[in-house]
Amino acid sequence: MTQARTALVLSGGGSLGAVQVGMLQALAETDFAADMVIGASVGALNGAFYALHPAPDGVARLAALWRGLRRSDVFPLSVPNALEALLGRRDYLTKADSLRRVVQHALGIRRIEDTRIALHIAATDVMSGDEVLLSSGDIDDALLASAAIPLVFPQVTIGGRSLIDAGVSSNTPIASAVQLGAGRIVVLPTGTPCALREPPKGMTALALHVLALLSMRQLDRDVAEYSSAATITVVPPLCPLRVAAFDFSHTAELIERAATQTRAWLADGGLGRTGPLQVPLVHFHPPRPQAQDEEGACELPH
């Protein structure tokens, strides 16, 4: 009997991509092996690095990269840039030059086909709204297209199509994994900041927050819908979580928490569990009178 092909699927989620790095560290310590990697937005960047360097030392380098990231390295927002957009001289807040430098420094390869594990990068056609899967060609352009948050970053033209953030069409491309022939799918979600006490401030921060909510709702639906077509395992994200998707000041903490939690989940037979998580990915913890320990167990509000 032919063994089912395994797809590793990574969702988007801004700075919460650090959670995936911790998950990857724990997975890299096991005998888990993927036949293909499919990523969206920040999950595409993490997925590309893992597809190129799947061993523990490679994931350790990815973690070191994340620990050194600052918000300005990804979102170099400024007043002049904002004025250019507000005056109608362009349809985005900032160029993606800084993000391109991060990508080039992290990967050091030119084409998607150069990774060790087959890599597929999801993006969205801005005209049709359809998901576009990029499996060959310039890897830098593909990753920038996948992460081109509408109104924040410019569209990226590839093959005559104007592409934007994958989160608009499918931020966790499970359907694409099924179409590519995966019989087993392991999903690394970024999760949502379920314990924030107030909405994130600023247009970009709020846009990332909303995209994260939409993508995790979509993931809950897709896991239920495609469970008959493939065996789907979702690695539990962190909960409770008070870090917004635009906040890069807690990266080291997120990586460590996610690695510790995922190691315990794996030791408890996590990879053998399938279907939706017991607690929906999108939920909310109302503020309590006294601050609670973020390491506490997750409970849905009554």
Side-chain angles (χ1 to χ4, degrees), residues 2-123:
T2 304
Q3 187 174 5
R5 300 181 71 204
T6 298
L8 184 66
V9 175
L10 298 93
S11 71
S15 64
L16 299 184
V19 173
Q20 292 174 334
V21 178
M23 294 173 175
L24 287 171
Q25 283 186 321
L27 281 174
E29 296 164 0
T30 71
D31 59 358
F32 172 80
D35 299 296
M36 66 184 85
V37 177
I38 309 173
S41 198
V42 71
L45 175 59
N46 285 335
F49 200 101
Y50 180 80
L52 184 62
H53 304 291
D57 59 338
V59 181
R61 288 166 54 195
L62 177 62
L65 169 70
W66 267 91
R67 291 189 183 99
L69 277 183
R70 301 294 178 265
R71 182 188 298 173
S72 58
D73 295 328
V74 182
F75 300 102
L77 304 176
S78 66
V79 173
N81 283 339
L83 286 175
E84 288 280 331
L86 291 173
L87 292 173
R89 295 173 183 168
R90 62 188 188 195
D91 57 4
Y92 55 89
L93 283 175
T94 184
K95 295 180 180 180
D97 296 346
S98 294
L99 182 56
R100 183 180 290 274
R101 285 192 291 271
V102 170
V103 169
Q104 291 174 338
H105 173 71
L107 297 176
I109 58 174
R110 298 181 63 86
R111 300 185 64 80
I112 298 172
E113 309 95 295
D114 293 339
T115 55
R116 296 183 184 181
I117 303 172
L119 174 66
H120 307 275
I121 298 170

Side-chain angles (χ1 to χ4, degrees), residues 38-41 44 120-124 131-134 142-143 145-147 164-167 169-173 176:
I38 309 173
S41 198
H120 307 275
I121 298 170
T124 301
E131 179 184 334
V132 177
L133 210 59
L134 303 167
L143 290 171
S146 186
I164 56 173
D165 195 289
S169 57
S170 180
N171 201 46
T172 311
S176 293

Side-chain angles (χ1 to χ4, degrees), residues 144-254:
L144 292 183
S146 186
I149 302 167
L151 305 181
V152 177
F153 290 126
Q155 305 163 25
V156 179
T157 301
I158 298 177
R161 307 176 79 171
S162 295
L163 304 179
I164 56 173
D165 195 289
V168 176
S169 57
S170 180
N171 201 46
T172 311
I174 290 177
S176 293
V178 172
Q179 291 168 6
L180 288 168
R184 182 190 185 205
I185 300 172
V186 177
V187 181
L188 305 190
T190 53
T192 59
C194 56
L196 279 182
R197 293 187 174 89
E198 59 184 11
K201 298 290 193 299
M203 186 171 71
T204 304
L206 187 58
L208 277 170
H209 178 72
V210 171
L211 279 175
L213 291 175
L214 290 173
S215 67
M216 292 302 105
R217 287 190 187 281
Q218 182 188 60
L219 174 55
D220 274 329
R221 293 193 299 268
D222 284 355
V223 171
E225 179 177 351
Y226 290 100
S227 288
S228 61
T231 300
I232 302 176
T233 299
V234 181
V235 181
L238 296 179
C239 176
L241 182 62
R242 296 191 182 97
V243 180
F246 193 54
D247 184 352
F248 285 81
S249 64
H250 297 273
T251 296
E253 171 198 340
L254 294 180

Side-chain angles (χ1 to χ4, degrees), residues 237-296:
L238 296 179
C239 176
L241 182 62
R242 296 191 182 97
V243 180
F246 193 54
D247 184 352
F248 285 81
S249 64
H250 297 273
T251 296
E253 171 198 340
L254 294 180
I255 293 172
E256 184 58 35
R257 280 186 62 192
T260 299
Q261 176 177 291
T262 305
R263 289 186 186 110
W265 175 81
L266 288 167
D268 195 35
L271 283 177
R273 301 173 190 171
T274 61
L277 293 172
Q278 183 176 1
V279 176
L281 286 162
V282 177
H283 59 273
F284 176 64
H285 303 273
R288 297 178 179 179
Q290 295 181 345
Q292 300 294 314
D293 182 2
E294 285 210 5
E295 302 292 341

